[in-house]
Amino acid sequence: MKVTVVDEHHHAMKPYWKQSKKNMTLLHFDSHPDMVPSWNMTKASVPCLCAHKCTERKKLLEENSIETWIPTLVLEGYVDCVIWVCGPWCTQLPEGTYQLLVGTHEDRVKIARNDGKKTDLPYFGDEDQVAPSKLSCALPWTLHVAKSVHGLAPLLQGKPFALDIDEDYFSVNNPFGERIRQYFGPSV
């Protein structure tokens, strides 16, 4: 098994670029979803992502950050299923399975539901990342949100997957709540 350790989480994209496997499952242990499309994507980067021909990897890393790297991998075709195993305090996305699309709208990367449901998922809607209309060069992907590993084995069988573990997954306290209380007091 090949192991890569990175300091900046979005640098986890680098091992994907060095291999040729596409449509992998990402088993993502983290306190954060890391699934907001990047606001920093340039008009030049978006078409190259859609064509699956991005060669300026350094620039692509600069345009992404800790919270944006997963939609980029989906749009590049490396990942088509994400299993986010989150801590018990994580409320960004409710537990469940979601059929989604990632694509472009007005030269920006956006997310859309692909399951016929009209309601937005607050995590994406709060970040203004939900497409108001149809997406261009859209790729479907599945998101599974789970609070534990029980029942995940069938989702991983028969398909290549990558394991991604952010060390904050092992926190025993809510890192968001701790920081907010530190700066603004317990009443907030």
Side-chain angles (χ1 to χ4, degrees):
M1 171 175 29
K2 184 173 179 173
V3 175
T4 302
V5 178
V6 297
D7 287 325
E8 296 186 45
H9 205 166
H10 64 293
H11 286 209
M13 294 190 298
K14 290 178 178 181
Y16 285 90
W17 296 335
K18 292 179 182 176
Q19 51 86 33
S20 61
K21 291 181 184 166
K22 297 286 187 162
N23 300 318
M24 295 179 62
T25 293
L26 172 61
L27 180 55
H28 179 60
F29 286 81
D30 199 335
S31 290
H32 317 88
D34 299 346
M35 294 178 226
V36 176
S38 177
W39 284 95
N40 298 320
M41 288 284 186
T42 63
K43 289 183 179 181
S45 295
V46 171
C48 97
L49 282 173
C50 290
H52 310 295
K53 294 181 180 177
C54 280
T55 56
E56 295 183 41
R57 297 299 187 191
K58 183 178 178 187
K59 183 176 181 176
L60 202 54
L61 277 176
E62 291 170 359
E63 292 174 345
N64 278 275
S65 64
I66 189 170
E67 71 273 3
T68 66
W69 61 281
I70 293 175
T72 301
L73 286 177
V74 173
L75 195 53
E76 284 188 288
Y78 289 105
V79 172
D80 68 355
C81 179
V82 176
I83 303 169
W84 177 39
V85 183
C86 56
W89 58 79
C90 300
T91 60
Q92 299 97 323
L93 290 161
E95 280 188 277
T97 298
Y98 306 95
Q99 300 302 319
L100 303 170
L101 292 168
V102 63
T104 61
H105 176 74
E106 296 178 356
D107 294 322
R108 294 271 325 279
V109 177
K110 298 271 188 172
I111 301 288
R113 300 279 304 246
N114 194 28
D115 54 11
K117 296 184 179 171
K118 299 294 182 201
T119 58
D120 292 332
L121 295 169
Y123 171 75
F124 299 112
D126 292 347
E127 299 289 340
D128 192 32
Q129 300 298 324
V130 177
S133 61
K134 292 199 177 222
L135 293 168
S136 298
C137 75
L139 287 177
W141 61 295
T142 302
L143 169 61
H144 302 279
V145 180
K147 302 274 184 186
S148 74
V149 297
H150 298 294
L152 297 183
L155 300 175
L156 298 169
Q157 290 177 347
K159 188 172 179 192
F161 72 92
L163 173 62
D164 172 69
I165 303 172
D166 188 317
E167 64 186 14
D168 71 7
Y169 173 77
F170 299 105
S171 299
V172 293
N173 294 317
N174 178 345
F176 305 112
E178 294 297 320
R179 188 165 292 143
I180 288 171
R181 282 189 288 281
Q182 176 186 357
Y183 291 114
F184 302 107
S187 63
V188 173

